[in-house]
Structures are given as structure tokens and as C-alpha cells.
Amino acid sequence: MAAKDSPARKRIMEGEPKAPLLSPVRFTSGCTLVDLVIGGGRGMGWKAGTLINIVALEGGGKTQLSAETIAHNFHARKDQGFWHRFIDREHRFSFDTESMFRMTVCDPSEWVPDTIEELDGYLSKLLNDAKAPGIVVVDSLDAFSTEETEERSEKRMKQVDDGKDIKQDGSYTVTTGAPKFLSESLRITMSKASATQTAVFLLSQVRTKLGAMAFDPNKFNRNGGKALDHWCDTIAWLKPLRKLSVGSEKDGTYREIGAVVNLWTTKSSTPRPYRECMYTLLFDYGIDNIASNIDFLFNLRDHKTGALRDPYTAPTGAFKDVEKEIMVYWKEGAEKTRENVQEWLGTIGRLQDAKDARKSEKGNAVFTLAWLDEWIARDPELQAAYIQQFPCYTRDQLIRAVEADPEMERELERRVIEKWE
């Protein structure tokens, strides 16, 4: 047993890494919180040279998240030879990425493999030809059949053409062929991805297991499940918690414009696995990183429902749908409370003035925050200093202020990372 004062034991007890941290290429998702979850204490963002499985429940936005990842890294790394390929096997990619991201994420004219075997060969060619770090997205793995399945289909069509009854032995699904092949091919794909510093995103659909109970945490399965569990560096799950909407059903203007999405990992080869976060997704825009960071920093959303809450007036509840009603204080340590305002008045030499005015009007020097607000507002110079000391915004006002000020945006991200750590 190591001595209590041994250097190795001391490093471990003090939380220091046993080996130097690696510095691999990492790809941002476009969302600070997602980057922190995926980075897991070893940087921020998706790690290049790995296989990544994204699984969505109830339309969680896996295609949009992967598309946004490509777009952000295209603009950040295009001078470094960044490349990408979006393999839309489902032929359902419908995002207008030219208007959203000013680049083409998925080219519908590009050839798409039909079978798992073709996909394996195509991925090998892409990775062999790679000259710089890049991203490949396969959407989705469940849409690929096997060559055996294709042959069965051709045989059935021939039987129909010949006027014969369809007779076919064996399985009609890919639940045996595809997973078996994947367990062999993913190891090779992972090795080539690592050599070329390519991140390979494998998007998955889920199916409910037959006979699974409602409370079973493992009631979902996906094609290639065990092979993905073994060879993927990260497995991230997405689920919409709350829909975002504008308009009213009464006058026919109601429409859904986005969702609050919960992301968590069931596998993360990092020192900090099993983390989770919430972010705001707008359908025709993408991830609203600023709004997501503000919600996290000021604890504005309920972690279970995604609903907004007022952290000052109702710390334990009182969720709201009208986002602009929530007030937040941007300056750290400058929440506008009665005690903080009194302390500030004392530092600038005006506390006694306030006490005298209060006693003259009310017969006592016991302050309320409402009275202090009203008294300070009588002096324009004092009011200007008051606003600067206690900058208060509605949620919507703060989002707009950060959007207009790059320095505020950098400060917001710094504070979010600091809070996360």
C-alpha cells in the first residue's frame, strides 16, 4: 500500500490528473452547454477521431444538432481544410441551411449507399481520402438494410412477376444481419477515424422493446445497439422537454417555433460522464446559445419540465410562460435587494440622506425596496448611478443586449463555464 504522503496519492487526493491531459481536435456543437457536457473535463465539444452516437426520443432534433455542428466548424475551420459529408439515407433532410448557416450541409445530389456493406466501404473511402480533420454524419443508421435483405427483396419481386406465391425462409428484417456486420465494421471505422481525426456521427432511431414496462429505464433499443455501445466514444440522447410557441389559438396565429431540449450522455469516455444540460432550439434558426446560457447561468428553467421560473420571487416554483416577465441582474453580486441597496448607499455617502427622508415621510427609518426605488428616482444623477450599479433586464432584454455586445457575450460564456466548473 502506498504511503499516505506519497506523491501519487497526494495528486489523486487533490484531484490532479495522473497523466497529462491530451489536446485532441474538438468540434463545437454551437452550444456552450452541450460542448461542456460532451467535453467532460477534457476540453469542450465533440472529440475528433471518434465514433459518436446521437439518439433522439420523440423528435429530439438529432439531425439539426449534427447539421449545426457541421456549420459552426465549417466557418471556424474552412481555412484549415475542414471537410464534411452528410449521408442522408432517410432522404428527409429538409433544413434550409443556406439561409440558416450560410453553407450547404447536405447535398441531395450526392450518392448515398443503400446497405450496411456499402456504407462500410463508403466510409472507408472517405476516411482514407481525408487530408484534414472533418465530420461525417450518417442519418440514420437504422435506415440501412443488408445485402442479404436486398437479395430477399429482389427474390420476392421476381416471385410476384412470375405469378407465384411469395415463399421466403428466415428473417425479413435487419435485426440480425446489420448488428452482426456492424460489430465487425465499426472497429475498423473507429481506427480509421482516429488516424484521420474525423468525427463520425451515427444517428439512431429508437424502438420500444416488446413487453417492456413503462418504468423500465432500458425499454428502448436501436439498430446495432451493443456494437455502438462498445465502439462509440460518446452516446448522447436528446429529448424535447417543452415546446416553444408564439401567437394565439383564438385568432389562428398560434404556431410552434422551437423546443427546450434535454441532452444527456449514457456513455462518455471522459473524467465527467453522465452529465446533462438543457438548450433552446428554434426550428428556423438552430440552437439559441445566448438564451440557453442565460437560462443556465440564472437558473431560469425547471430541469424536469423546461418551464421558466422566476429565481428571485419564487425560488422553488412559480413557472411562467411569458419569458419577458422574468427579471435578471447582469452584474455579479449586484442583485437589487433591500440590503444590497442600503449597503451601496452607504458606500457612496447617501445612506443617511435616505434615512432622514424616510423618517420625515413615514416617521421611521425602516426601508422597503419599493420606497428606496421611488426615493432614488427623484434624483436623476443618483438614479443613473443606481441603474449602473444594479443593471436589471427582462430575460428578453438581456438576450438582445448580449447579442449586440460581443464583450457581454464573451463574459456570459466565461461565467457559464465558471459556474459549470
Side-chain angles (χ1 to χ4, degrees):
M1 181 179 292
K4 291 184 178 180
D5 58 349
S6 71
R9 182 178 179 84
K10 184 178 180 182
R11 287 198 304 271
I12 293 172
M13 296 302 293
E14 293 179 355
E16 295 182 15
K18 292 185 288 185
L21 295 181
L22 302 176
S23 298
V25 173
R26 289 194 176 270
F27 297 118
T28 180
S29 65
C31 178
T32 304
L33 293 168
V34 173
D35 286 351
L36 287 166
V37 170
I38 300 303
R42 289 285 178 103
M44 292 177 60
W46 310 100
K47 183 180 175 183
T50 64
L51 305 185
I52 298 158
N53 186 210
I54 301 181
V55 193
L57 303 177
E58 304 169 13
K62 63 185 185 303
T63 300
Q64 190 158 0
L65 177 61
S66 57
E68 180 138 354
T69 296
I70 287 175
H72 278 277
N73 291 281
F74 171 81
H75 289 294
R77 297 174 175 271
K78 57 185 176 182
D79 295 335
Q80 304 169 23
F82 174 83
W83 65 279
H84 77 278
R85 177 70 170 92
F86 196 104
I87 303 173
D88 180 25
R89 179 62 184 87
E90 295 184 353
H91 302 291
R92 293 192 300 181
F93 191 94
S94 59
F95 297 105
D96 182 4
T97 57
E98 287 291 342
S99 62
M100 292 172 66
F101 306 130
R102 306 188 314 281
M103 56 88 64
T104 300
V105 169
C106 178
D107 184 351
S109 67
E110 291 183 323
W111 178 79
V112 175
D114 291 323
T115 66
I116 286 290
E117 292 85 351
E118 288 179 347
L119 175 64
D120 177 58
Y122 188 48
L123 285 177
S124 293
K125 183 179 186 309
L126 288 174
L127 297 175
N128 286 337
D129 293 344
K131 305 299 182 185
I135 294 175
V136 178
V137 176
V138 180
D139 189 9
S140 69
L141 198 59
D142 306 77
F144 290 90
S145 62
T146 64
E147 291 183 355
E148 179 185 5
T149 304
E150 297 293 308
E151 291 172 1
R152 290 175 182 273
S153 177
E154 292 178 4
K155 186 174 181 180
R156 288 194 295 271
M157 285 192 293
K158 187 175 186 306
Q159 290 172 342
V160 171
D161 291 339
D162 294 342
K164 298 178 180 179
D165 292 334
I166 297 178
K167 295 180 180 180
Q168 193 98 18
D169 296 329
S171 171
Y172 294 98
T173 71
V174 298
T175 55
T176 56
K180 182 179 179 181
F181 184 81
L182 281 172
S183 65
E184 301 172 358
S185 66
L186 287 183
R187 175 182 59 81
I188 300 173
T189 302
M190 183 201 67
S191 177
K192 292 183 177 181
S194 178
T196 60
Q197 287 291 277
T198 300
V200 179
F201 288 76
L202 304 171
L203 310 190
S204 289
Q205 307 284 358
V206 293
R207 298 179 297 275
T208 304
K209 294 178 182 177
L210 293 177
M213 303 297 289
F215 52 81
D216 182 2
N218 300 310
K219 66 180 179 178
F220 299 108
N221 59 17
R222 65 204 192 285
N223 196 16
K226 291 190 179 299
L228 292 174
D229 291 342
H230 182 74
W231 292 112
C232 285
D233 181 86
T234 301
I235 301 176
W237 293 70
L238 307 175
K239 180 180 180 179
L241 295 178
R242 188 177 186 85
K243 294 178 180 178
L244 301 177
S245 62
V246 295
S248 170
E249 293 182 349
K250 293 181 179 180
D251 59 9
T253 60
Y254 175 88
R255 60 192 184 279
E256 293 174 359
I257 60 169
V260 177
V261 179
N262 181 212
L263 177 145
W264 71 97
T265 60
T266 53
K267 181 180 180 183
S268 177
S269 302
T270 66
R272 299 175 185 172
Y274 315 123
R275 297 288 184 99
E276 63 179 307
C277 71
M278 288 184 295
Y279 61 87
T280 297
L281 178 68
L282 302 176
F283 297 143
D284 60 351
Y285 173 80
I287 295 174
D288 190 338
N289 187 44
I290 291 175
S292 302
N293 282 344
I294 288 172
D295 291 342
F296 170 77
L297 182 63
F298 296 102
N299 194 25
L300 300 185
R301 288 199 182 274
D302 175 47
H303 297 282
K304 294 182 179 180
T305 67
L308 285 164
R309 61 189 287 276
D310 190 328
Y312 303 104
T313 61
T316 59
F319 302 108
K320 298 181 179 181
D321 291 319
V322 184
E323 301 185 357
K324 65 181 181 181
E325 290 184 358
I326 296 179
M327 305 297 292
V328 292
Y329 299 93
W330 172 249
K331 191 172 181 179
E332 291 184 272
E335 289 80 7
K336 193 165 64 173
T337 64
R338 180 171 58 92
E339 294 78 9
N340 286 348
V341 174
Q342 283 184 230
E343 182 179 352
W344 172 71
L345 287 172
T347 61
I348 64 173
R350 297 296 303 273
L351 181 59
Q352 189 59 49
D353 294 341
K355 288 182 177 179
D356 292 343
R358 174 72 183 186
K359 192 168 184 179
S360 173
E361 294 177 16
K362 303 294 183 180
N364 62 68
V366 180
F367 297 123
T368 65
L369 183 58
W371 185 88
L372 286 169
D373 273 338
E374 190 272 331
W375 179 77
I376 291 171
R378 300 173 194 171
D379 184 334
E381 186 176 341
L382 183 60
Q383 173 74 357
Y386 185 48
I387 293 173
Q388 186 175 3
Q389 177 65 24
F390 299 100
C392 184
Y393 300 84
T394 66
R395 179 179 180 274
D396 187 59
Q397 286 171 344
L398 182 55
I399 289 173
R400 295 180 184 278
V402 174
E403 287 176 339
D405 187 341
E407 186 59 37
M408 282 186 73
E409 186 170 2
R410 286 189 290 270
E411 174 67 10
L412 174 63
E413 182 168 359
R414 183 196 66 78
R415 289 165 62 179
V416 164
I417 295 171
E418 185 179 80
K419 179 178 178 180
W420 184 270
E421 294 297 332

